[in-house]
Amino acid sequence: MKEIINVTGIHTVDYLKDYTAGKFRFITKTRSGFFTISDARHWDNPRYMENPEGLLTGYKKGALQTVEFCPEGGDYYLTVFARVGKKIKLIDEAILASLTVGTINSLWYNTELYSQYQYKAVNSKTWASMAYVMNEPESQLEAA
């Protein structure tokens, strides 16, 4: 995994890199303000392990509150993403490393994930650019 550059100061954990399989569950807030817990479908779990950004894109803006991960063979859940209101309490480094500017700008723009200083620190130019790992400068892209 590439080195994470985090100028926003969001607290990170590093659980997902230690496991190759497991189950995810989501805690969401309904329009009426109640919280619901739903397990990911069994065929989605491998996709989430390969592309952790997908964990944050499956719900409408503002609905997702927490994502938890249960390692294969375990009977406990580890929190890999948590937020309260606009404040991100913690996020796993694998999720942070896979986030693109487009995902943040469309779903998480009113949270701490959105930061123009962060985008500048990692040389982000487009919505397809990575938001928390260094993007290659344009001159290196043209030379390749």
Side-chain angles (χ1 to χ4, degrees), residues 129-143:
S129 299
M130 303 310 288
Y132 283 87
V133 295
M134 184 58 76
N135 295 285
E136 293 184 32
E138 291 179 24
S139 59
Q140 289 180 358
L141 293 175
E142 292 172 2

Side-chain angles (χ1 to χ4, degrees), residues 3-135:
E3 181 184 350
I4 293 176
I5 299 170
N6 183 1
V7 299
T8 57
I10 295 173
H11 180 69
T12 60
V13 294
D14 201 12
Y15 297 135
L16 292 178
K17 75 169 177 68
D18 297 331
Y19 301 100
T20 57
K23 301 182 297 187
F24 290 94
R25 74 176 174 190
F26 305 96
I27 300 172
T28 57
K29 193 175 197 179
T30 63
R31 281 194 264 175
S32 59
F34 295 104
F35 289 95
T36 61
I37 299 173
S38 57
D39 291 332
R41 298 172 297 222
H42 64 86
W43 62 83
D44 278 340
N45 289 317
R47 182 175 62 90
Y48 289 143
M49 290 300 291
E50 291 174 17
N51 181 20
E53 181 185 37
L55 292 165
L56 302 184
T57 60
Y59 291 91
K60 288 184 177 182
K61 184 187 103 42
L64 185 63
Q65 301 295 313
T66 304
V67 179
E68 295 178 335
F69 173 71
C70 177
E72 189 172 47
D75 60 348
Y76 54 91
Y77 279 87
L78 304 168
T79 302
V80 294
F81 174 78
R83 80 176 186 116
V84 176
K86 296 180 181 181
K87 186 158 181 68
I88 305 296
K89 293 295 185 181
L90 66 91
I91 188 167
D92 194 276
E93 288 183 3
I95 299 171
L96 206 58
S98 66
L99 278 178
T100 61
V101 172
T103 299
I104 294 171
N105 286 353
S106 59
L107 296 172
W108 302 97
Y109 58 85
N110 64 343
T111 67
E112 295 173 318
L113 289 173
Y114 176 86
S115 169
Q116 291 298 323
Y117 298 112
Q118 175 66 39
Y119 297 164
K120 188 173 184 177
V122 295
N123 197 28
S124 294
K125 301 292 183 197
T126 66
W127 278 36
S129 299
M130 303 310 288
Y132 283 87
V133 295
M134 184 58 76
N135 295 285

